[in-house]
Amino acid sequence: RKKWKIDENTKVITFLGRVHNIKGIDFLIESFHELCKTRNDCLLLIVGPDDGFMEECENLVRDLGIQDKVIFTGFIGGNDKNSVLFDSDIVVQTSRQEQGAWAPFEAVLCETPIIVTEHTGAGEDVKRIDAGETVKFGDKSQLVNIIEDILLNYQYYHDKTLKAKNFIENNLSMNER
């Protein structure tokens, strides 16, 4: 938050991954725009390198008039990435398709609630261990409602995230047999 001059009262919604069409960032940006119609305390952080879709995303943000509410950070790795995940209020992966829940599970391990698209491998992983919420790809109203619910009932979702973190650490560790 300090590096990007983000106020402690600002609700940070983060995408972490390659900026590629398959990642559904356009769906996230359009949904975030809808959220901004009812809330002025949110910021969208898009963390990841350009993989052919950055210009389209930047144009969409500009066309929707939310440039002051969206930050494109580029690639962030290591401890800085973990700091971003810890400082986020929600991490969202709205992929058109996705093999697994790598970035969302990193967020869970940083104790940050997650939302992923339901029809993906990530959605299946998240549902299997009740690690977060799922959304139908393209359903902007549903995504906005889930974000709102998490922000309004943060302790409930944080507790759910801690249970999932515990499950991951105790059952999915490379050291577990």
Side-chain angles (χ1 to χ4, degrees):
R1 286 178 182 264
K2 192 178 289 185
K3 179 178 182 174
W4 298 100
K5 298 179 178 112
I6 301 170
D7 181 272
E8 282 299 316
N9 296 319
T10 299
K11 307 302 181 194
V12 178
I13 300 158
T14 300
F15 165 84
L16 172 65
R18 298 174 297 122
V19 181
H20 186 280
N21 179 55
I22 203 166
K23 298 293 187 175
I25 304 166
D26 49 341
F27 165 44
L28 176 58
I29 291 169
E30 290 169 355
S31 299
F32 181 76
H33 174 252
E34 293 301 313
L35 179 70
C36 289
K37 292 178 180 179
T38 59
R39 296 188 72 118
N40 62 0
D41 62 343
C42 294
L43 177 81
L44 179 59
L45 202 60
I46 298 176
V47 179
D50 183 14
D51 194 9
F53 200 56
M54 184 72 76
E55 185 176 347
E56 289 87 345
C57 290
E58 291 171 337
N59 289 340
L60 180 57
V61 165
R62 188 180 57 255
D63 291 348
L64 294 172
I66 54 174
Q67 309 89 296
D68 60 329
K69 302 264 186 200
V70 180
I71 297 173
F72 293 90
T73 69
F75 174 80
I76 298 177
N79 287 333
D80 289 338
K81 176 184 71 172
N82 291 338
S83 292
V84 167
L85 295 174
F86 273 112
D87 283 349
S88 297
D89 293 284
I90 304 170
V91 170
V92 182
Q93 184 182 64
T94 52
S95 298
R96 287 176 165 81
Q97 62 182 22
E98 192 71 48
Q99 294 283 335
W102 186 260
F105 279 5
E106 287 181 287
V108 168
L109 292 171
C110 291
E111 304 180 2
T112 303
I114 59 172
I115 305 168
V116 301
T117 41
E118 64 187 11
H119 69 283
T120 62
E124 292 171 12
D125 291 342
V126 167
K127 287 178 200 171
R128 184 174 38 255
I129 67 167
D130 196 25
E133 300 305 305
T134 60
V135 63
K136 181 179 179 184
F137 184 83
D139 191 335
K140 292 184 274 191
S141 296
Q142 183 187 28
L143 181 53
V144 169
N145 289 338
I146 294 169
I147 291 170
E148 285 278 14
D149 195 50
I150 292 173
L151 295 175
L152 290 171
N153 301 291
Y154 202 79
Q155 190 60 53
Y156 168 80
Y157 288 99
H158 187 257
D159 291 347
K160 180 177 182 174
T161 302
L162 292 177
K163 287 178 188 174
K165 175 185 179 186
N166 185 52
F167 180 87
I168 292 168
E169 290 174 342
N170 292 318
N171 298 287
L172 302 180
S173 166
M174 295 295 276
N175 297 325
E176 282 302 310
R177 296 176 197 252

